[in-house]
Amino acid sequence: MTYKISFPADFKNIAPLRDLAFHMTMLQGFDRQEAEHIRCIVDELATNAIEYGSQKTSEVNLELDADSKQVKIICSDQGHGNRMKAVEIEKKIREPLPIGANRGRGISLIVKNFAQEFDLRDREGGGIIATAVVKKSISS
């Protein structure tokens, strides 16, 4: 089951997308906890694409590809935001969180903990493509 969705870079679009990911995952036989993890990953990747890689006139692309063994989530922006390269983002993710910071590190705290695979790469023409893969646990 595959969904490919382009949506305006507006935070109001995130809730239905994360719910779609949750329900799609449940339909593929993943357990509720795994489906919640996937919902969190979609939320984090879409939020970052909107907040850091987009302007109000930009579009964000989300692809959800699920089968009975894994869910692959691909989220890309057009690079109309801060224009950081993938290598710069990876470096920032590894930096310690400043004392007193109340935001940040969703990629390292959410996505990297819930996904078995995670990759950031530069998008041709600008922007970032983030890919996360969550594999079904044996007990599901």
Side-chain angles (χ1 to χ4, degrees), residues 57-108:
T57 58
S58 301
E59 283 199 343
V60 174
N61 297 304
L62 180 69
E63 182 176 335
L64 302 168
D65 185 17
D67 61 30
S68 62
K69 296 179 182 173
Q70 70 178 26
V71 176
K72 185 175 189 178
I73 305 149
I74 303 170
C75 188
S76 62
D77 61 63
Q78 297 175 329
H80 296 146
N82 66 15
R83 303 194 191 286
M84 288 178 74
K85 297 291 185 188
V87 68
E88 296 169 294
I89 296 169
E90 283 282 359
K91 182 180 175 190
K92 190 167 183 69
I93 290 169
R94 288 189 299 271
E95 292 174 357
L97 192 60
I99 295 172
N102 60 2
R103 301 192 70 237
R105 303 302 186 264
I107 295 282
S108 58

